[in-house]
Amino acid sequence: MKIMKFLIVVVLLPFFATASEVNPYEWEKNRTRYKLSAEEQKLTELILKHHVQYEYRLEENDFVMYNTVHRIVFVNNDEAVQKHNRITISMSSTLDLVDLKARAISKDGKVVNFDKNNLKELKDEASGNAYRIFAIEGIELGSEVEYYFTRKMQASLFDRSFLQFDVPAKKASFRLSCPNHLKFDFKPYQGFAEIKTEEGEELNVYTSEMENVPALREEPYSFFDNNRRRVEFKLAYNTARSKARLY
């Protein structure tokens, strides 16, 4: 870990322009419930939205990454309710939990918002990993459970984002932004949508999304993660320094 941090400083710090402001992530404040088909309403659980994004920034000579996960899940049996009434956030490589919002929307449209006083901290003594755990109240059969969190993290130059799960997803999406002199390479796996690139005067933005992602069940002795739809990415160029490919 110390070697990688040193490498980031050497390769990147001398070549950053002034850091731009990070726009806080926001959800739709007064949204209506999703309209589901008759078949979807019969499902015990359905991911209505799974969105993950990475924002790379330089702040006070530190190269950091803001990682946001936003998920909406339709829960339609007791097992699904129990599965989603408590959410765990890993704090590995995390400098700060910047934002967290959660709510449950019942079948009749009643909204119960997350009380931040219910946020707890947990540390696994065996591994030393820290977590934030919170409960979402007001979940009942047919509810939509929605939450998002943003973590300020140590910047990762190589990473992957899984976009397929053990239940079907109505929509899964990915976004990465970085200063325009940095360029990332991407590789979608198992048929996930190709990355679209938008190069701007200040930022490069990379996006991908797919609808109706099927569930992938984990089986004993199988390579579950290798078979999941995902996007893997790495920093490929720092054009302010050189046109040569990094790593």
Side-chain angles (χ1 to χ4, degrees):
M1 182 62 70
K2 290 182 180 179
I3 294 175
M4 179 57 73
K5 185 175 182 181
F6 175 76
L7 186 62
I8 292 172
V9 172
V10 170
V11 173
L12 298 173
L13 277 187
F15 311 105
F16 268 103
T18 303
S20 56
E21 292 292 328
V22 174
N23 296 321
Y25 187 85
E26 274 291 350
W27 62 14
E28 188 177 348
K29 293 182 179 179
N30 299 306
R31 72 171 180 85
T32 57
R33 283 173 55 92
Y34 277 70
K35 293 182 179 180
L36 303 182
S37 68
E39 289 301 314
E40 290 172 334
Q41 292 177 27
K42 295 177 183 177
L43 296 175
T44 59
E45 183 181 352
L46 173 64
I47 297 173
L48 302 171
K49 174 178 180 176
H50 179 85
H51 175 70
V52 60
Q53 69 178 38
Y54 303 81
E55 298 179 82
Y56 286 85
R57 297 288 184 270
L58 181 74
E59 294 183 351
E60 298 179 356
N61 292 330
D62 287 328
F63 187 44
V64 299
M65 173 182 76
Y66 286 85
N67 171 234
T68 298
V69 176
H70 182 188
R71 177 176 278 200
I72 307 173
V73 186
F74 170 66
V75 294
N76 204 30
N77 70 359
D78 291 336
E79 182 179 352
V81 169
Q82 291 297 318
K83 178 181 176 181
H84 293 284
N85 67 2
R86 190 166 73 167
I87 309 299
T88 301
I89 304 171
S90 172
M91 300 299 289
S92 177
S93 301
T94 298
L95 305 172
D96 187 23
L97 181 60
V98 176
D99 196 12
L100 167 62
K101 289 183 180 178
R103 61 189 172 189
I105 305 177
S106 68
K107 288 189 293 186
D108 60 5
K110 180 182 178 182
V111 179
V112 178
N113 288 297
F114 165 65
D115 183 353
K116 290 188 177 181
N117 292 324
N118 292 332
L119 183 64
K120 307 297 182 184
E121 183 175 354
L122 178 67
K123 187 171 184 179
D124 186 338
E125 297 297 336
S127 65
N129 293 332
Y131 301 89
R132 298 290 189 272
I133 297 178
F134 64 94
I136 303 177
E137 300 178 350
I139 302 177
E140 56 189 47
L141 296 186
S143 287
E144 292 181 4
V145 180
E146 180 174 14
Y147 62 88
Y148 78 82
F149 57 85
T150 300
R151 296 173 294 176
K152 180 180 178 181
M153 308 182 71
Q154 298 172 359
S156 173
L157 305 186
F158 311 85
D159 213 334
R160 63 176 59 174
S161 179
F162 291 105
L163 297 154
Q164 186 177 28
F165 310 93
D166 60 352
V167 296
K170 198 171 179 68
K171 183 176 181 180
S173 56
F174 168 92
R175 183 182 191 274
L176 183 149
S177 64
C178 61
N180 66 348
H181 63 280
L182 300 180
K183 298 181 184 297
F184 280 77
D185 277 349
F186 298 85
K187 175 65 176 176
Y189 283 86
Q190 306 300 344
F192 199 78
E194 293 296 322
I195 298 292
K196 296 179 180 179
T197 302
E198 181 181 340
E199 296 185 353
E201 293 183 1
E202 295 185 1
L203 293 177
N204 293 331
V205 179
Y206 306 90
T207 59
S208 180
E209 65 178 47
M210 177 173 280
E211 295 183 352
N212 301 319
V213 179
L216 181 66
R217 304 295 182 183
E218 186 169 4
E219 299 177 357
Y221 312 112
S222 68
F223 296 99
F224 179 63
D225 284 346
N226 287 348
N227 289 310
R228 296 170 70 183
R229 298 188 186 188
R230 65 191 186 277
V231 173
E232 297 191 1
F233 57 93
K234 67 176 181 178
L235 180 64
Y237 297 94
N238 180 349
T239 59
R241 180 172 184 258
S242 168
K243 293 183 178 181
R245 177 180 290 274
L246 301 172
Y247 315 117

